[in-house]
Amino acid sequence: MIVETGHFALVLALALALVQSLVPLVGARTNDARLMATGGPVAVAGFALTGIAFAALVMAYVQSDFSVANVWENSHSAKPMLYKVTGTWGNHEGSMLLWVLILTFFGALVAVFGGNLPATLRANVLSVQGWIGAAFLLFVLTTSNPFIRLEPAPFEGRDLNPILQDVGLAIHPPLLYLGYVGFSVCFSFAVAALIDGRIDAAWARWVRPWTLAAWMFLTGGIAMGSYWAYYELGWGGFWFWDPVENASFMPWLAGTALLHSAIVMEKRSALKIWTILLAILTFSLSLLGTFLVRSGVLTSVHAFATDPTRGVFILAILVLFIGGSLALFALRAGSLTAGGLFHPISREGALVLNNLFLTTAAATVLVGTLYPLLVEAVTGDKISVGAPFFNLTFGPLMLPLLLLIPFGPLLAWKRGDVYAVAQRLMAAFGGALLAVLATLLLADGASVFAALGVGIGVWMILGALTDLVQKSALGTVPLAVAARRLAGLPRSVHGTALAHLGMGVTVLGIVATLAFEAEHITIMKPGESTAIAGRTLRFEGVSPVQGPNFTETRASFVLLGAGGGKLGEVTSAKRVYTARQMPTTEAGILTLGFSQLYVSLGDPTQDGGIVVRIWWKPLVTLIWLGGLVMMVAAAVSLTDRRLRVGAPARRAKAASSPAGAKA
Amino acid sequence: MTRKQKRLSVIAGALAFLGAATALTFYALGQKASFFYMPTELQAAVLEPGQRIRLGGLVEAGTVKRGQGTEISFAITDQEKSVPVAYVGILPDLFREGQGVIAEGTMRADGVFAADSVLAKHDENYMPKEVADSLKAKGVWQDETARPGS
Amino acid sequence: MLFWIVAALLTLAASLAVMLPLSVKNRQADIARDHDIEVYRDQLGELDKDAARGLIGPAEAEEARAEIGRRILKLAGTKDGGGADRPARLPRVVGAAAVLAVPIVGWGLYAELGSPLLPGQPLNARLQADPAENTMEELVARAEAHLSSNPEDGRGWDVLAPIYLRTGRSEDSAAAYRNAIRLLGGSADRLAGLGEALSYGAGGVVTAEAQDAFKQALAAQPDHPKSRFYLASGLAQEGKLQEAAAAWQALLGGLPADSPWRGPVQEAITEANRRSAAVQKPAGPVPTQEEMDAAASMTADDRTAMIEQMVSGLDAKLRENPKDVEGWMRLVRSYVVLGKADQAREALGRGLAALDSGSEDGKRLTSLAASLGLASTE
């Protein structure tokens, strides 16, 4: 009954999405307020119905209702409750339902918070959201229906892939999807502007919060995914240039560019056409990511069951939306008016440069990700493009961008003075230089590159702080005044500084980990010790442990400091999941300050020892902390008054507020 | 400079930038992309010394030797030819005899493949996609995914 | 029933979401240009604030103010878009179509995809349901579920093993008995059960492996009737009919008056005596049980050759006269006894095709195949 209610609600949601994709659009074309007004309530109702469907599926998982094929395939009655719930989206069908749920969620948000948008823009945006919703609901219902039933129902499920039985699954996919799908709103705004053939003055102002929100979630999703892969896969790496990682990274790069170009568009009415194109490209890359992951055309840890019909269906959606929107762009872009002028050396110029770097970087990642597909299609050769390629292309592109970041926020609009800015950054430059020298002197065997890398991280952090210091006039006015000025700065200024600082923190973490990591593979017997990065790791012994749906062999270690004092304990395990008889490695991680000790187990040897792989990863947590700082930065920026206003208080036009906005 | 000249110079700069990036990308693709071979194909392939490749196939039964300490040797086979592999490190959880793997590394002069990473990334059949495709083409392995209910 | 009410309510709510905005009185849509002016006004205010904070210099502020002013002027020059020339028919048609589309698409598609009559089956509710109401299959599934998470539960295996045997899953039964023996020790009943399961698996033949199990059972409990019965059957199958009859006689003598084994043992003795008398008769054109039993006393190779010859003769006969259900049953059983499961299955397929699997004879053949552990190939 619950399951079928969910199924029915999902079908109804499709019906509403079809209505939403046509009726408001017709209303906008014929300037009929009533037709346009249907968009809001229909979007909200569509979200509610998709929510019912999703809740029903979660319920089926919680209750282990194996009459639902999807539950039978991916759940097990002995699984802990958390993983029963997260298992809902730990498979293809469920994760696509989550995708659609988030899509309708954003549609509903536009409906609820879009009350002060011009009626035609709002109607067009909701219709475009409706197209995406209808396409994906149709995809879910026809090729990936999670509500298919089994009769008679089996009594036990086949269990979730053990790698996915982790808290990471509770956070990573929802965050990532919030990011991916959040860009659909920017896309809808862009297409709506193209349909109308005009860009409202506040267009960028409306698009920016959605971009910020999506970017915030995507940043979090990527950071979380990276940390998850790091501790779960047991290889100690934090980024593999895996196609699926790239699939989430490309929209991030494009989204970051969009975030910056939208500022220029809002402040100066310039870069309009470019911003529209970026909005389309960003969501197109999100769709491409969905296609790459869901169709299984690329080998990846993320490839669940793969099915050609699904791939073809998503490919059709991809072609339809990307091709259609780009065609519309080609048709209409000419009619959009160009905006304000600016000197190449200016805030605008800096933001254009940023866009150039970011989009080029996204393009190289795209080439590296799709090239193997292309080569296989053309010549039949199977090749793989891995870290060496990206290090050689993505690296050189990022390096100048990172160096230039501190300049951007300090440059004036329209015409900037690069020497004055350089002068103001002298302190930050001095600090970075100091960090380079300190690294060379203090860290044993630090290469010049490593020291320079540390310098770049420090330069970015200090540069971001310089921005705040300058804008609050700290040092030139009394401290109390400066503090008041700092607090009075627009939130977006704080957001900018914080985001750039977060980027610097991440860079610092990456450099420190890559340059100063110590790794050691050895065989240990209980009681033996091994040295790692000036510390001593003692192997205490192994013990068998019985988990709820697995058995594991757990090895305990104790980490001793240089002086022999105990720094902490760490356990690492080999696990076998009973239902699928699948082994996994549970890495042992000990966090000391910002650094981590990482222990991974190999096979036991015949003489009672065990192969142990140990890493000392200095400052490794900074990589993800930086991501967290960037998320916070986006949240701070989102609270900026200017963004909340959207369209200002409508003193004169209170009576014309569109009906249905409060639905 | 007139406005038009200014705009042209900006566009020229951007194009030069893109051109450099494109050149870099294609250089990197030529240098850094690693080709995937099955053991039979490897016999026929012409490799430059030190060229990185990926070798895929099944772990030949009875060849896995956990040697001195952490060094491991095994052979990868496609049921026609087999290639000895040497690897130092921890094998992935799903590494076992008769299962599909991909090893990445270089061919040594003595005909042993020196792997620096071994992947047993898998779908539900514990078979990397490239390996499954190639083996299917050879008729060695059949896809047995029967997924009732879907 | 409840589901239909819920579905109807959901449909109603979805339709209302479309209908309500359409039923409001139509008004002039607001003009996008007004929004633009509001935005510019807001930008001017912001500019003043930034200038007051000293974030931008007075000259820059003045320049920016002028720029925004120019935008406002430009806007004032444009014409009002949209307006009165609204075709009245189209919106009404679209609105009506939209309201109708919700129930039509919803119910139409659901009728195609859904399983409205299938109730949800949460595992807990199913496990708490009265076991008496469960089908045998459900009970077995429940036990299997339990054992897959607790594979060391010997009692569970012990209970499940005879059920498997009764439902014809002799291989599972043998595995379950082995597990029970491993975990709980080899009692006579379990060992005999294993032997029985193995015999069933071999199409009724007490194989060497089964004999082993029965002998172990007798070592644990020398007067164990089931083991003695099957061992005697084994003798009979080897053609040692006198010995078998003697063994059965001895068993019968030791059985209490109310033993359930008395009946089967007596029947077996009668049958053995009848067959010892019949063994001397000449062999007919088709293999009978007697002939096969007789063959059992030859050397292994000769025996196989002879049986195979007879079976192929029968096979050829059935090709000419395919309506002979007894013949098909014999052929299938012979192949099973010879251990040629594939040919047995193939013969079963041919037989079913010839007899028409829906007919009475077809059903007899199917049930025989099932009792031999042969699944129909469909």
Side-chain angles (χ1 to χ4, degrees), chain C residues 11-336:
Chain C
T11 316
L12 185 68
S15 302
L16 279 181
V18 183
M19 226 171 341
L20 281 184
L22 289 175
S23 59
V24 186
K25 195 169 155 285
N26 209 356
R27 277 171 293 102
Q28 174 70 42
D30 54 352
I31 297 160
R33 200 187 60 188
D34 298 341
H35 283 264
D36 285 2
I37 290 184
E38 296 295 338
V39 174
Y40 293 139
R41 226 175 250 158
D42 192 58
Q43 279 184 341
L44 282 176
E46 225 165 74
L47 198 62
D48 292 341
K49 256 182 234 138
D50 278 1
R53 264 194 219 116
L55 284 180
I56 51 176
E60 281 171 327
E62 202 44 57
E63 210 174 318
R65 211 168 278 137
E67 187 177 303
I68 296 171
R70 277 201 295 279
R71 283 184 213 151
I72 294 177
L73 284 178
K74 199 169 158 201
L75 201 61
T78 60
K79 284 202 309 262
D80 267 12
D85 55 336
R86 186 184 327 136
R89 284 269 308 282
L90 182 64
R92 216 168 295 154
V93 172
V94 169
V99 174
L100 281 178
V102 173
I104 291 174
V105 172
W107 288 81
L109 201 57
Y110 182 76
E112 192 66 25
L113 296 171
S115 325
L117 298 178
L118 209 55
Q121 303 183 29
L123 192 61
N124 267 340
R126 290 165 76 194
L127 293 182
Q128 277 158 15
D130 184 359
E133 288 174 12
N134 282 347
T135 63
M136 178 62 83
E137 198 191 8
E138 275 178 312
L139 288 172
V140 170
R142 182 190 299 197
E144 281 173 341
H146 169 73
L147 286 170
S148 72
S149 45
N150 303 289
E152 303 300 293
D153 178 3
R155 286 278 311 131
W157 291 117
D158 210 19
V159 171
L160 191 56
I163 299 177
Y164 275 145
L165 193 56
R166 234 172 292 148
T167 49
R169 296 164 66 177
S170 48
E171 273 178 35
D172 289 331
S173 175
Y177 271 121
R178 286 207 176 93
N179 275 328
I181 290 165
R182 174 172 59 85
L183 296 163
L184 301 176
S187 76
D189 280 342
R190 279 179 212 120
L191 285 162
L194 174 61
E196 201 176 7
L198 290 170
S199 308
Y200 268 64
V205 177
V206 183
T207 60
E209 207 184 355
Q211 286 186 17
D212 245 24
F214 288 124
K215 280 176 187 155
Q216 282 180 43
L218 284 183
Q221 187 189 333
D223 61 341
H224 193 254
K226 186 196 275 183
S227 307
R228 293 177 65 181
F229 177 84
Y230 272 96
L231 281 172
S233 303
L235 290 174
Q237 285 166 358
E238 286 169 26
K240 304 172 184 165
L241 290 168
Q242 270 89 21
E243 282 176 56
W248 274 319
Q249 278 297 350
L251 170 60
L252 193 64
L255 282 175
D258 58 346
S259 166
W261 285 100
R262 292 196 83 93
V265 173
Q266 265 157 356
E267 270 174 42
I269 294 171
T270 327
E271 173 72 11
N273 289 337
R274 194 180 61 74
R275 280 164 57 191
S276 346
V279 131
Q280 274 77 22
K281 283 192 205 158
V286 294
T288 59
Q289 187 66 42
E290 285 83 355
E291 282 164 357
M292 289 170 73
D293 286 337
S297 59
M298 307 173 157
T299 68
D301 285 346
D302 288 340
R303 183 171 57 203
T304 316
M306 175 193 157
I307 294 177
E308 269 172 1
Q309 195 192 350
M310 287 190 294
V311 169
S312 59
L314 175 59
D315 205 333
K317 240 180 65 135
L318 283 167
R319 282 180 202 278
E320 288 164 23
N321 177 25
K323 289 288 170 200
D324 177 10
V325 60
E326 297 289 341
W328 284 116
M329 288 169 72
R330 251 200 316 277
L331 182 64
V332 170
R333 194 186 288 120
S334 309
Y335 275 133
V336 170

Side-chain angles (χ1 to χ4, degrees), chain A residues 443-498:
Chain A
D444 288 336
S447 68
V448 179
F449 282 117
L452 287 178
V454 171
I456 292 176
V458 173
W459 159 247
M460 290 173 67
I461 295 171
L462 292 180
L465 293 175
T466 307
D467 184 28
L468 289 183
V469 169
Q470 293 287 337
K471 288 191 170 136
S472 63
L474 190 72
T476 55
V477 296
L479 204 61
V481 179
R484 201 155 359 102
R485 287 182 60 131
L486 186 66
L489 285 174
R491 298 273 177 81
S492 59
V493 172
H494 287 286
T496 304
L498 213 51

